[in-house]
Amino acid sequence: MSTRTLIAALACTAAFQAPIAHAADDPGALIACGTTEADRVTSREEALARSQSWLDARVPYSQQACYRNEHGSYRTDCSGYVSMAWGLTHSRTTTTLREVAAEIPRADLRPGDALTTSYHAALFVRWADDAKSEPVVREQTGPDGAAPVERKWTAQTANAYTPLRYYRVTGD
């Protein structure tokens, strides 16, 4: 992992990293800003459109701030960004995103899936190469005040992340 990628990833480290047994105990719910009644059934196209809304608005990164638009109110860090794109009830943490998603093989990544570690999460957009080794992602990453970006990751960076698929995504 490059120094730049490591710094950006560490900037997205959620305030609470301990694994949580139940979603009701998820600390993300305490700093969720607002909630919806239930996790949405979200198409891949909707997830990308929702994520684009934060790119267009240049929503500034913060683990303590919330941003509200037509998609709801979510914490403006990396896991809040993925939570918003997926239409979750509240902003999850990088650890608790796994409670609403399943690990998938890297080669099966499709638009709207996520790449996660215990300290960072990004939304998968597409492959930049035919070998399916360099993903294009959208991510909300620090330092505080930085806007979300769409960028290509190197294969080395991507290999440090676990691919996840939201359990209520449609369009497969």
Side-chain angles (χ1 to χ4, degrees):
M1 181 180 303
S2 73
T3 302
R4 182 177 176 192
T5 303
L6 180 59
I7 290 169
L10 291 174
C12 188
T13 303
F16 302 93
Q17 289 297 313
I20 305 297
H22 304 289
D25 297 332
D26 180 2
L30 301 176
I31 47 179
C33 313
T35 60
T36 58
E37 292 182 27
D39 292 339
R40 288 178 50 90
V41 173
T42 305
S43 73
R44 296 184 178 287
E45 295 78 23
E46 287 173 309
L48 293 180
R50 290 168 70 94
S51 70
Q52 184 67 47
S53 73
W54 278 26
L55 288 172
D56 293 344
R58 302 193 44 78
V59 175
Y61 175 90
S62 173
Q63 289 181 337
Q64 275 73 70
C66 302
Y67 180 74
R68 174 176 293 281
N69 68 4
E70 68 274 18
H71 304 301
S73 180
Y74 292 89
R75 195 177 56 248
T76 60
D77 63 2
C78 62
S79 53
Y81 183 66
V82 172
S83 297
M84 180 275 303
W86 285 354
L88 302 182
T89 59
H90 63 275
S91 297
R92 294 217 170 234
T93 65
T94 54
T95 303
T96 62
L97 282 171
R98 291 176 173 271
E99 293 175 2
V100 296
E103 190 172 328
I104 60 170
R106 187 170 311 282
D108 290 348
L109 276 165
R110 302 209 35 217
D113 290 335
L115 290 159
T116 66
T117 64
S118 62
Y119 54 83
H120 189 54
L123 195 70
F124 177 80
V125 177
R126 67 183 174 281
W127 291 109
D129 62 332
D130 291 337
K132 293 186 175 182
S133 63
E134 297 180 329
V136 174
V137 300
R138 291 181 182 163
E139 56 188 328
Q140 180 79 39
T141 189
D144 280 358
V149 296
E150 180 175 304
R151 68 174 136 214
K152 180 182 79 154
W153 282 358
T154 66
Q156 181 181 5
T157 298
N159 287 336
Y161 287 74
T162 301
L164 294 180
R165 177 161 296 150
Y166 174 44
Y167 77 107
R168 298 194 76 186
V169 70
T170 63
D172 287 336

